[in-house]
């Protein structure tokens, strides 16, 4: 396995990358003084290998054949896309590696196909979800319109009912006011009648007193 890793590092030293290198983040566990720093940086910068989430390379970690096959596959793709300038000896070495990793490369390709199919399914599902969301949004807008119409109808009905009740109350108040006015007028008439009766009583009283005085004087 060490021979394979060394071969990959040698390849990275020989190959000339024509694609623009990414601004690699600082590799925390590979200092610039490390003998493989430039090679690791070149592999990472050009996307042939990736760092872990904590920006470490973990060079001492065991590497399985699938991981090495993945790197070889990426290099082959880069050469095929003319992103890497490789000499005949480089290509010969890569062919040996691809032959050695044939099984892993086939399985990796199959896994990639499966992964791509899953991505396609997810994209289709996402498209359906978006369409459903658009449809749902339209339905929600229709429901909102219906709710607003119902609210407006209820408001108008309540307003009409309130107006009708207010009109009834106003009529009742007017009737009561008319009755109060009539009672006040009747009371005034009654007071006037009482005043007239009182005057008559006074007159009768004075008349009786006068009659009584005449009777007394005649005796």
């Amino acid at each position: 396995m060490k021979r394979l890793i060394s071969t990959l590092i040698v390849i990275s030293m020989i190959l000339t990358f024509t694609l623009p290198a990414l601004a690699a983040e600082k590799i925390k566990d590979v200092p610039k003084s490390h003998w493989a720093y430039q090679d690791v940086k070149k592999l990472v910068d050009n996307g042939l290998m990736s760092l872990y989430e904590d920006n470490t390379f973990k060079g001492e970690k065991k590497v399985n054949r699938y991981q090495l096959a993945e790197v070889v596959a990426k290099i082959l793709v880069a050469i095929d896309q003319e992103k890497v300038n490789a000499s005949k000896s480089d290509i010969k070495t890569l062919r040996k590696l691809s032959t050695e990793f044939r099984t892993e490369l086939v399985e990796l390709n199959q896994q990639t196909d499966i992964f791509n199919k899953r991505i396609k399914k997810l994209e289709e599902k996402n498209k359906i979800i978006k369409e459903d969301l658009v449809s749902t949004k339209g339905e929600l807008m229709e429901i909102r319109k219906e709710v607003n119409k119902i609210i407006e109808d209820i408001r108008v009905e309540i307003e009409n009912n309130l107006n009708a009740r207010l009109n009834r109350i106003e009529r009742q108040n007017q009737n009561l006011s008319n009755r109060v006015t009539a009672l006040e007028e009747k009371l005034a008439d009654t007071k006037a009648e009482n005043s007239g009766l009182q005057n008559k009583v006074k007159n009768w009283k004075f008349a009786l007193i006068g009659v009584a005085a005449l009777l007394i004087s005649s005796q």
Side-chain angles (χ1 to χ4, degrees), residues 40-210:
V40 172
K41 185 175 183 298
K42 186 185 293 185
L43 290 171
V44 173
D45 280 350
N46 291 280
L48 299 178
M49 297 191 74
S50 58
L51 300 177
Y52 287 88
E53 291 182 357
D54 58 354
N55 288 342
T56 57
F57 184 71
K58 300 188 187 300
E60 300 299 325
K61 188 176 181 179
K62 290 183 179 180
V63 180
N64 58 46
R65 291 174 63 86
Y66 287 107
Q67 290 172 316
L68 292 174
E70 184 180 8
V71 176
V72 173
K74 287 182 179 179
I75 293 174
L76 291 172
V77 170
I79 293 174
D80 185 57
Q81 295 177 349
E82 297 183 354
K83 293 179 179 179
V84 172
N85 295 325
S87 64
K88 290 182 179 180
S89 61
D90 297 333
I91 295 174
K92 185 177 180 180
T93 303
L94 285 170
R95 281 179 179 172
K96 288 181 180 180
L97 286 172
S98 63
T99 300
E100 183 171 350
F101 291 120
R102 183 182 301 276
T103 302
E104 287 81 359
L105 288 171
V106 170
E107 291 185 11
L108 185 63
N109 187 55
Q110 290 174 347
Q111 290 177 4
T112 302
D113 289 340
I114 293 172
F115 184 70
N116 289 333
K117 288 178 181 178
R118 289 182 64 186
I119 290 177
K120 187 176 180 181
K121 286 183 179 179
L122 288 173
E123 288 175 346
E124 291 175 353
K125 187 175 181 180
N126 187 44
K127 183 180 178 182
I128 293 172
I129 291 173
K130 285 183 178 179
E131 291 175 353
D132 289 342
L133 285 174
V134 172
S135 176
T136 302
K137 187 177 180 180
E139 292 176 1
L140 286 174
M141 289 180 67
E142 290 297 325
I143 292 172
R144 183 175 295 175
K145 288 180 181 178
E146 292 178 5
V147 170
N148 289 336
K149 186 177 183 302
I150 291 171
I151 292 173
E152 179 63 19
D153 292 341
I154 292 173
R155 186 191 66 79
V156 171
E157 184 176 355
I158 291 173
E159 185 176 347
N160 291 336
N161 290 336
L162 286 175
N163 288 333
R165 291 183 64 183
L166 286 172
N167 290 333
R168 285 198 300 271
I169 291 171
E170 287 178 356
R171 287 195 298 271
Q172 290 174 357
N173 286 338
Q174 185 63 42
N175 292 334
L176 288 173
S177 179
N178 293 336
R179 290 179 64 184
V180 168
T181 301
L183 288 172
E184 287 176 346
E185 291 175 353
K186 189 174 182 180
L187 181 61
D189 293 340
T190 302
K191 286 181 178 180
E193 290 177 1
N194 288 337
S195 179
L197 289 173
Q198 287 177 358
N199 290 331
K200 286 181 180 181
V201 169
K202 285 180 180 180
N203 292 332
W204 290 343
K205 185 177 180 181
F206 289 138
L208 289 173
I209 292 171

